């Protein structure tokens, strides 16, 4: 089969691999790199479980080919925690019980981080609109909205204290 | 207070703890079955060949072209099965069928070096069919006499006398759709022979013991040759109670024949088209009321769509026949239940397990009868609640019946029901094209497996010399928080902090012969077993500590990692006592066991006490319906729910919220549609992906959602006074259906009984609004023609509908509301 060479930075590490042109990015992440934190829920880009960041912007990794990530920077759920602990959005999901089975959680967190990048202080309705592309079958979404609000508030408090790291950048 | 329900000082249960795997989930480190599979680089991938006929004999199955596809290693067929070619519990589910029974039925499985190779191989398998007649809908099955299982009847009193003497008699028909589980993680298994030459199967299953049994049956091996582990599931909801096991057997068979690991993960379309669902029910009812609005009798029939094999349908029907009473005293009852056989996927367990269909039936009765009786629906429901001492139609006294009216009053008050009802009436008067509705519905749900023998559980608890604790139990984790609760139970029973307890994955070689984690019983059964094991160890450690502290063993206390004696000045750590116990050669591990006491059930007479207790709750939902489109939104939901003394409040509230939303999905959005045409794809599921099968998303969230746990809720017969929480809240969503009914009623004349299809999709609501408006028009026309006729009288007549008024694409609920002559 035809193979193409791609070089992708994933969670801060550069990888060069031979891939089939039609290999999906999510397959590359899971099967080639072993980044199994990124999950496949629906196969059809409806559920968002596979959401990752491409150059800091959220994409559903089952909607793009690995070759499309060539030369780009991919951040997965496994790459957002800093050396000093969890990303604020991870902490917020953890503390607000914004998860049950956890299968939607990585994608939900990645989409939420991107939501706050675009709008650091969304109200409940904006959060609902912004995460519409991610499905959860367990929680009824209440605690997910709470978690995103709480992360936004935490970040706002940090900015007031003079911290400069905006949410959405891999720390 | 019983030993089982009494909490010690400083219990770890009752605290709002984050989910046991929360850190793993937010970091992506929590593994699911197919994540584990990716590590096995030498694994073969299994891919199914699916039937393209609803019902047919396979006249030829040629695999040679598949075997020629590069990377295809083997095609598994019936000839390969060393044991029994059956994946079910009743012997009616051939794993490799010679007669396909539904469109999408897996015929054989291709093993490839890669997913791509297996997929191409499956496409190259040639299947020839001899088409047989098929039945797809319940109506077709009834007409064809296509039934399975044993019909059952729930009877009490003289129903015919009750109905003939009733002041008001109403009747109706309703057909409710099925529901796809849509757990985010599709079915997955990984099988290989481990270093001890044991067949090891990691399976996303709610019932590892049954997975083990099915694999053993298919391979002709004793069960001790097979270990099944269920690390965690990405959602189960009943869909992984029986359905994973044939798939696990395919992987195990592949591993046995090739000597290599075999991984199997269904993609979403395969998952929806191959595996079972919540069954749709067709129900008819006739109900009698007296002038006070009290139910005097209910005669009904429930026909469940059983799909191609019996699966769990007999038990699902049992639960439906034990829940049509919901929270209401019905003196005379005759309800018939039967199961049809259709050429569809298996119909199986799904959160509520027949309960929701039973509850839907009686709530439909109240929803229809209230306007005709001229009694407010909330008041009508309240009047009919069980009084203490009254028994269900199957003869079990409703324990804690007084909780229902308490919960009801509390909810009416906390949600400002009366004030909002008035506001809604004013809003509806001033809005011709938008109407609101506010409905409150109760739930009473029996806890325990209907079949008594399932109500047992085991656990294994190990205490190490450093005082750390490892627990294992027979329940599985699907997101519901069972493992978190079990850690809290163990920490409470041993008197150690939560951080001292770790939980090991659920495996058949740790705790054998387990029941499915199902029927909401996971925490009740396994919690009691974990506590039993911990109690044994703690009692032994108390003897050791008593010697060290110089007190009587009965005066030793374990709390928060410290061991003290009444009146003793010295304090020991749990670890010190553990070490001392080891040195004194005192056993620091124990197997725990529990069986629920006092259960019995006679399925012939349909009487007994199948449930340990009942869980109660109530929900009030307000909706707004757009008259032009039928689109609606949920403005507010308030819930008061009885979880006993909660083991883990944050987790319980999460279960209630999620259960409600999943129930609302079933009742308002999720529309399984099957090809009922006579075309070449007859029997094909038309809604086979997330793009066509609509589960609740952020946009359907209630705008305001308030959940309160009922206090004064101690449950004597259960672990630390708690109650089960998994299934009951799903049925609280009946309030959204009834709110929609009331909002639609706003478009009709006063007293107009609204017929609402299920699911009440915007499309279905539109047609109900259309009918209500037609009734208004008819009432206006008729009262213009015959002055003096009451609106109520004409609207009742206008409510009689015929099939021809409904669009053919709907599953119309036909109804006639007839005053008793």
């Amino acid at each position: 089969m035809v193979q193409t060479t791609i070089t992708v930075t994933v969670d801060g590490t550069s990888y060069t691999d031979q891939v089939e042109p039609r290999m999906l990015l999510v397959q590359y992440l899971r099967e080639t790199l072993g980044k199994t934190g990124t999950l496949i829920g629906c196969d059809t880009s409806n559920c968002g479980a596979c959401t990752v960041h491409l150059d800091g912007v959220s994409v559903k990794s089952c909607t793009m080919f690995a070759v499309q990530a060539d030369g780009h920077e991919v951040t997965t759920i496994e790459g957002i925690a800093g050396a000093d602990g969890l990303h604020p959005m991870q902490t917020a999901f953890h503390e607000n019980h914004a998860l049950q089975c956890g299968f939607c959680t990585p994608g939900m967190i990645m989409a939420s981080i991107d939501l706050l990048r675009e709008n650091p202080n969304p109200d409940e309705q904006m959060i609902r609109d912004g995460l519409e592309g991610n499905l959860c079958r367990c929680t009824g979404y209440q605690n997910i909205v709470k978690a995103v609000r709480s992360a936004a508030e935490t970040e706002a408090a940090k900015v007031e204290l003079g911290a400069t790291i905006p949410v959405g950048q891999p720390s | 207070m019983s030993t089982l329900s009494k909490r010690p000082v400083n219990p770890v249960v009752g605290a709002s703890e984050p989910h046991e795997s929360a850190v793993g989930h937010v970091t992506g480190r929590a593994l699911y079955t197919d994540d584990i599979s990716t590590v096995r680089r030498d694994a073969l991938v299994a891919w199914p060949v699916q039937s393209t006929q609803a019902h047919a004999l396979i006249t030829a199955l040629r695999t040679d072209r598949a075997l020629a596809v590069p990377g295809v290693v083997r095609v598994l067929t019936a000839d390969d099965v060393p044991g029994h070619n059956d994946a079910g519990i009743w012997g009616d589910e051939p794993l490799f069928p010679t007669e396909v029974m539904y469109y999408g039925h897996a015929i054989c499985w291709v093993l490839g070096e890669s997913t791509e190779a297996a997929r191409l191989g499956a496409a190259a398998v040639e299947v020839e069919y001899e088409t047989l007649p098929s039945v797809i809908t319940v109506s077709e099955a009834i007409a064809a006499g296509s039934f399975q299982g044993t019909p059952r009847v729930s009877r009490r009193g003289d129903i015919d006398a009750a109905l003939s003497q009733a002041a008001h008699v109403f009747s109706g028909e309703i057909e409710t759709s099925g529901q796809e589980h849509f757990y985010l993680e599709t079915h997955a298994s990984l099988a290989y022979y481990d270093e001890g030459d044991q067949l090891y199967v990691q399976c996303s299953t709610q019932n590892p013991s049954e997975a083990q049994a099915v694999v053993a049956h298919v391979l002709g091996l004793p069960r001790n040759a097979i270990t099944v582990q269920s690390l965690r599931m990405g959602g189960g909801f009943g869909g992984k109670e029986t359905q994973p096991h044939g798939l696990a057997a395919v992987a195990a068979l592949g591993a046995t024949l090739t000597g290599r690991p075999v991984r199997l993960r269904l993609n979403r379309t395969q998952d929806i088209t191959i595996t079972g669902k919540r069954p749709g029910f067709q129900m008819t009812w006739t109900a009698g009321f007296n002038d006070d609005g009290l139910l005097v009798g209910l005669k009904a029939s429930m026909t469940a769509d059983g799909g191609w094999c019996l699966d769990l349908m007999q038990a699902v029907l049992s639960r439906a026949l034990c829940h049509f009473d919901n929270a209401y005293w019905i003196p005379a009852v005759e309800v018939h239940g039967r199961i049809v056989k259709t050429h569809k996927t298996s119909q199986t367990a799904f959160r509520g397990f027949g309960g929701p269909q039973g509850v839907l039936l009686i709530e439909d009765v109240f929803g229809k009868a209230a306007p005709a009786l001229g009694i407010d629906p909330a008041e009508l429901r309240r009047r009919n609640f069980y009084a203490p001492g009254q028994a269900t139609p199957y003869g079990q006294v409703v324990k804690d019946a007084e909780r229902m009216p308490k919960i009801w009053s509390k909810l009416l008050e906390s949600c400002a029901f009366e004030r909002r009802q008035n506001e809604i009436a004013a809003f509806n008067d001033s809005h011709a094209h938008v109407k609101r509705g506010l409905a409150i519905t109760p739930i009473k749900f029996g806890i325990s497996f209907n079949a008594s023998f399932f109500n047992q559980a085991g656990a294994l608890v190990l205490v190490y010399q450093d005082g750390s604790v490892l627990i294992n139990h027979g329940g599985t984790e699907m997101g519901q928080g069972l493992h978190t609760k079990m850690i809290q139970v163990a920490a409470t029973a041993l008197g150690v902090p939560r951080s001292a307890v770790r939980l090991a994955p659920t495996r058949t070689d740790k705790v054998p012969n387990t029941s499915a984690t199902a029927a909401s019983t996971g925490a009740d059964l396994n919690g009691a077993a974990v506590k039993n094991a911990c109690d044994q160890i703690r009692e032994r450690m108390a003897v050791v500590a008593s010697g060290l502290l110089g007190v009587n063993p009965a005066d030793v206390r374990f709390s928060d990692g410290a061991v003290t004696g009444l009146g003793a000045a010295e304090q020991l750590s749990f670890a010190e006592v553990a070490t001392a116990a080891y040195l004194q050669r005192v056993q620091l591990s124990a197997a725990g066991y529990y069986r629920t006491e006092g259960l019995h059930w006679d399925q012939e007479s349909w009487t007994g006490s199948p449930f340990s207790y009942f869980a109660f709750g109530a929900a009030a939902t307000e909706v707004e319906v757009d008259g032009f489109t039928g689109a609606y939104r949920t403005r507010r939901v308030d819930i008061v729910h009885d979880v006993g003394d909660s083991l883990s409040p944050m987790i319980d509230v999460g279960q209630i919220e999620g259960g409600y939303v999943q129930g609302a999905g079933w009742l308002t959005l999720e529309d399984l549609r099957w090809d009922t045409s006579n075309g070449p794809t007859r029997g094909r599921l038309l809604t086979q992906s997330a793009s066509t099968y609509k589960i609740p998303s952020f946009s359907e969230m209630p705008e305001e959602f308030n959940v309160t746990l009922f206090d004064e809720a101690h449950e004597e017969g259960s672990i630390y006074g708690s109650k089960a929480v998994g299934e009951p809240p799903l049925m609280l969503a009946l309030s959204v259906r009834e709110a929609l009914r009331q909002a639609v009623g706003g478009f009709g004349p006063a007293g107009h009984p609204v017929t609402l299809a299920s699911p009440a999709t915007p499309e279905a609501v539109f047609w109900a609004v259309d009918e209500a408006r037609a009734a208004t028009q008819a009432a206006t026309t008729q009262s213009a023609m015959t002055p003096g006729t009451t609106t109520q009288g004409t609207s009742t007549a206008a409510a009689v509908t015929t099939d021809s008024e409904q669009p053919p694409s709907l599953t119309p609920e036909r109804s006639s509301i007839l005053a008793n002559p």
Side-chain angles (χ1 to χ4, degrees), chain B residues 451-589:
Chain B
S452 300
F453 65 90
F454 283 130
N455 296 290
Q456 57 175 321
L460 180 64
V461 174
L462 317 177
V463 173
Y464 295 94
Q465 288 179 63
D466 63 356
S468 65
V469 180
L470 185 65
I471 68 168
N472 200 282
H473 63 93
T476 56
E477 177 66 38
M478 59 199 98
Q480 82 278 42
L482 176 62
H483 284 351
T484 314
K485 288 181 172 178
M486 295 304 94
I487 289 171
Q488 289 180 273
V489 165
T492 301
L494 290 171
V496 296
R498 172 187 162 153
S499 58
V501 183
R502 201 172 79 78
L503 183 142
T506 309
R507 290 169 62 116
T508 55
D509 60 355
K510 293 275 178 56
V511 180
N513 309 314
T514 53
S515 296
T517 305
S520 304
T521 61
D524 283 9
L525 298 177
N526 295 292
V530 167
K531 181 174 183 295
N532 172 252
C534 292
D535 286 348
Q536 295 173 45
I537 298 170
R538 195 195 61 241
E539 280 163 22
R540 286 181 219 138
M541 289 176 72
V543 174
V544 174
S546 76
L548 300 173
L549 295 167
V551 298
N552 187 294
D555 292 339
V556 175
R557 296 290 179 271
F558 293 75
S559 180
D560 200 25
V563 183
T564 54
L566 295 181
E570 195 187 353
Q571 173 175 310
L572 301 167
S573 71
F574 187 81
E576 285 170 328
V577 179
T579 305
Y582 168 76
L583 294 172
Q584 292 177 26
R585 290 181 290 169
V586 171
Q587 190 186 357
L588 285 171
S589 63

Side-chain angles (χ1 to χ4, degrees), chain A residues 23 83 106:
Chain A
M23 179 183 237

Side-chain angles (χ1 to χ4, degrees), chain B residues 196-278:
Chain B
D197 206 30
Q198 162 187 248
L199 177 55
Y200 172 82
V201 183
Q202 161 60 40
C203 178
S204 181
T205 174
Q206 292 173 238
N207 194 350
S209 287
E210 191 184 281
Q212 179 194 34
V214 169
V215 170
H217 194 62
V218 169
L219 295 182
L221 291 173
R223 295 186 196 180
N224 69 1
I226 299 150
T227 290
V228 176
Q229 171 174 293
S230 181
L231 179 59
R232 66 167 54 78
M233 286 162 275
F237 316 114
K240 295 173 182 170
E241 184 169 348
T242 60
Q243 298 299 292
H245 306 148
L247 305 171
V250 168
L253 176 63
T256 301
L257 295 177
T258 63
R260 290 175 59 181
V262 172
R263 62 190 284 195
L264 186 161
R265 171 197 168 257
L266 299 182
N267 67 26
R268 181 59 62 179
T269 302
Q270 291 164 345
D271 194 289
I272 296 189
T273 57
I274 291 176
T275 69
K277 321 205 176 308
R278 184 194 299 285

Side-chain angles (χ1 to χ4, degrees), chain A residues 23-38:
Chain A
M23 179 183 237
L24 297 172
L25 177 58
V26 68
Q27 293 171 327
Y28 175 69
L29 293 172
R30 288 180 58 81
E31 303 291 335
T32 308
L33 302 187
K35 295 265 180 189
T36 54
T38 302

Side-chain angles (χ1 to χ4, degrees), chain A residues 22 30-31 36-37 40-43 46 77 90 94 97 100-103 128 131-132 134 137-138 141-142, chain B residues 22 25-26 28 32 35 38 41 116 180-182 263 268 478-479 654-655 658 670 696-699 702 705:
Chain A
R22 60 185 174 152
R30 288 180 58 81
E31 303 291 335
T36 54
I40 302 171
C42 71
D43 305 290
N46 297 95
I77 189 71
Q90 292 176 310
H94 179 268
H97 188 46
Q100 286 182 26
C101 85
F103 208 82
R128 293 170 186 212
L131 295 179
E132 176 63 26
N134 288 65
R137 190 51 153 167
C138 298
Y141 302 104
Q142 297 298 318
Chain B
H25 289 317
V26 301
Y32 301 88
D35 301 338
T38 62
R41 298 280 165 174
E116 195 58 5
E180 161 61 31
H181 304 84
F182 217 101
R263 62 190 284 195
R268 181 59 62 179
M478 59 199 98
Q655 283 290 293
E670 299 179 35
S697 61
F698 279 93
S699 55
F705 201 157

